Amino acid sequence: MYRRNHQDWSKHIDFILLDLICVMVGMVASGIIVLDISVFSYTPYRSLLVVVALIDALVMVFFDSMRNVTRRGALSEMIQTIRHSATVFALATMYMFVLKTGDYFSRSFFIIAYFIYIVLSYVGRVLWKAMINKHGSPMWKRGKMIVVSNAEGAEKIMMRLINNNVEGYDIVGVVFDKPSDIKEVCGVPVVGELEGISDYLCQQWIDAVYIDCPSTDPQISKLMDDCRQMALPVHYHVASMSQKGAKQFAEKVGGTLVVTTTINYASPLQMFAKRCLDILGGIVGSLIAILIILVVGPIIKIQSPGPILFKQERIGKNGKRFKILKIRSMYMDADERKKELMEKNRVKDGMMFKLDFDPRVIGNKELPDGTRKTGIGEFIRKTSLDEFPQFFNVLFGQMSLVGTRPPTVDEWQKYKFHHRARLACKPGITGMWQVSGRSEITDFEEVVKLDTQYINNWSFGLDIKILFKTVGAVLRSDGAM
């Protein structure tokens, strides 16, 4: 029976188990050094050990801490280890604070345990990676694989497979699609040609066949059919689908097997966690929004008669339209006056609209002597209070707490192909470019770059990090979102 390679956190179950051992050893060692006790013999510390281990496992799963762990360098691994361990112990501290059990535990115990954990985890990861690169992971039994290719591109194909460690396999032979005088490729012997290779496979210890040749070749089609009859797994390289920077995986669509290419993907567990966070944040934010509306609503009504809430059609995930909600901070004729002010737009290509001083904002006036006066509209924009009704959009599932800012219809109509990448996820109240300069960034291509970076590197942990940065940015009033 073929074992499918893992595509999510479980792919690195060995590193997860190693980290769990490190965090437990760190706490046990700290108990002996600081308290001269065994944490297993003292109930509060024993319970804490279980909780911290559980937090460690959850952080690795939801924050995707082990993504690309086998490809990280020493310095990058050190940074990731410190970041991960800090998150684990911060959440453990929050757990004790919520349950009001902090007084039961020694601060020195926690500090020593933290540093021991960092050292053990870092050294363990580095040594484990070195062992895997040399011998392969002992968690999974390695199989023997035959590579089928053309003679001209064989060396390039083999180097690609070897450099990526061919997860779970040792390459034991190469087969050419046509006769050739080449006897070996990258130290691997050439064991035959397509004609008659099926008989060879039938009589040898072979666990899988990797094919990098056009499937239109009748001999390749026959080999794949022969392998099916022998119940021998075939890994077929779809060359036309290999794109730099894209994620690929096989799945069934409409009952047919396809290779799916996408900028990034998330597991059902990760999406469930993100939606739970959105619902929780949406409920809290919506309650705050109601309070804000009750306070600033009457002031807006007095200074600019009209509705308190402003609805505008925006473009959401993959081009789906929705009505975004905001507390109205502009006069009722703001859209009509936008064309008159376009020449003062800070974003010269017109892909976004931002002014240094917007006279359409309620209370904003430029006096005859050049002095600029602001009012309630500028205040709620500066403090981002106008954004709070969007928490209702989050609850409705139209937006997320973290994502890319949804463009207006006229902005969307100017999009080029690479701009549309911003629409690959749900729009968010905040996002990568907002916490990297917010409205100070006036180059739309830089915005696209940051948003694409967010989508490419998305994880639950990245959302949490952006949310914390957003709170800090709002408190410092670093521009409007």
Side-chain angles (χ1 to χ4, degrees), residues 245-367:
K247 306 282 195 312
Q248 287 123 9
F249 53 92
E251 60 180 344
K252 279 194 172 183
V253 175
T256 61
L257 184 64
V258 300
V259 176
T260 300
T261 300
T262 180
I263 187 172
N264 201 354
Y265 62 88
S267 68
L269 183 61
Q270 289 174 317
M271 294 307 297
F272 175 74
K274 183 175 175 68
R275 183 56 187 155
C276 287
L277 181 65
D278 284 345
I279 292 173
L280 179 62
I283 292 173
V284 175
S286 296
L287 293 175
I288 297 175
I290 292 172
L291 294 176
I292 294 172
I293 292 170
L294 291 175
V295 174
V296 303
I299 303 175
I300 293 172
K301 274 284 190 181
I302 293 171
Q303 296 193 14
S304 175
I308 297 172
L309 290 181
F310 169 70
K311 295 181 181 180
Q312 185 182 45
E313 189 171 53
R314 293 290 184 101
I315 307 301
K317 183 178 178 180
N318 294 328
K320 184 178 181 179
R321 302 189 181 204
F322 72 101
K323 296 286 187 179
I324 197 171
L325 298 174
K326 287 189 175 186
I327 294 177
R328 185 167 63 89
S329 61
M330 293 187 175
Y331 292 107
M332 294 297 295
D333 60 349
D335 282 338
E336 289 77 12
R337 296 173 63 185
K338 181 178 178 179
K339 296 179 181 178
E340 304 170 9
L341 300 167
M342 190 60 73
E343 62 181 23
K344 296 181 180 180
N345 187 8
R346 289 165 54 196
V347 185
K348 298 305 180 184
D349 57 11
M351 298 301 290
M352 297 187 298
F353 186 74
K354 291 186 179 295
L355 300 176
D356 289 321
F357 183 79
D358 196 336
R360 302 173 303 157
V361 175
I362 299 173
N364 278 11
K365 291 181 182 179
E366 190 164 346
L367 302 178

